[in-house]
Amino acid sequence: MPLYIPRAEIGYLGGAVPVLVVVSPEPIEQLPVFRLDAGRPLPCDGWELLVGMTATVVDGPGDSGILVGGAVRPEEVEERIAWLEAVDRAGGVVVLVVDSHGPVGDWAELAADEKARGGFVPVVQRAG
């Protein structure tokens, strides 16, 4: 059963590789510790991403997973479409689980701290 994370604890960041920020005071143990290789997040082996307008599922091995809400208000639709297009272009997202709200721009610092969990998660391509 996926772990449900309230929308207030989620951030959707754009960029060349979009980021899904999950704020959780407890680490999501099934995800690997966030690490970099030559400045790029390592992949989360065994994890995949299913995205849509109203929900995102980060599906892990076995019963592991994270369910988060997407757009809930009409004014969020354009921003959500742009994020979904960025996910398709990048072929996935960097899932980043942190313990508090705040800036997450410095990946090297997050990796060195070894508190964050996550990495690159490929998107499941939808047919049609």
Side-chain angles (χ1 to χ4, degrees):
M1 175 69 83
L3 173 65
Y4 173 74
I5 304 290
R7 177 66 177 92
E9 303 301 325
I10 300 297
Y12 295 98
L13 306 177
V17 179
V19 179
L20 174 65
V21 179
V22 178
V23 178
S24 176
E26 297 296 321
I28 297 174
E29 297 289 340
Q30 298 87 347
L31 280 167
V33 172
F34 183 73
R35 300 211 188 280
L36 300 176
D37 180 20
R40 298 179 61 112
L42 291 174
C44 291
D45 292 331
W47 291 78
E48 60 187 9
L49 184 75
L50 299 110
V51 294
M53 183 62 72
T54 59
T56 294
V57 175
V58 185
D59 189 27
D63 290 338
S64 302
I66 305 167
L67 172 65
V68 298
V72 294
R73 296 186 304 271
E75 58 271 15
E76 295 175 321
V77 170
E78 284 185 38
E79 182 179 320
R80 181 69 175 179
I81 289 172
W83 191 80
L84 291 171
E85 289 172 347
V87 170
D88 283 341
R89 280 191 304 277
V93 302
V94 172
V95 174
L96 192 56
V97 180
V98 295
D99 61 1
S100 63
H101 292 273
V104 293
D106 190 349
W107 286 354
E109 186 177 309
L110 287 168
D113 189 29
E114 296 189 354
K115 287 185 186 176
R117 292 194 168 264
F120 183 80
V121 177
V123 67
V124 174
Q125 298 299 321
R126 292 168 271 168

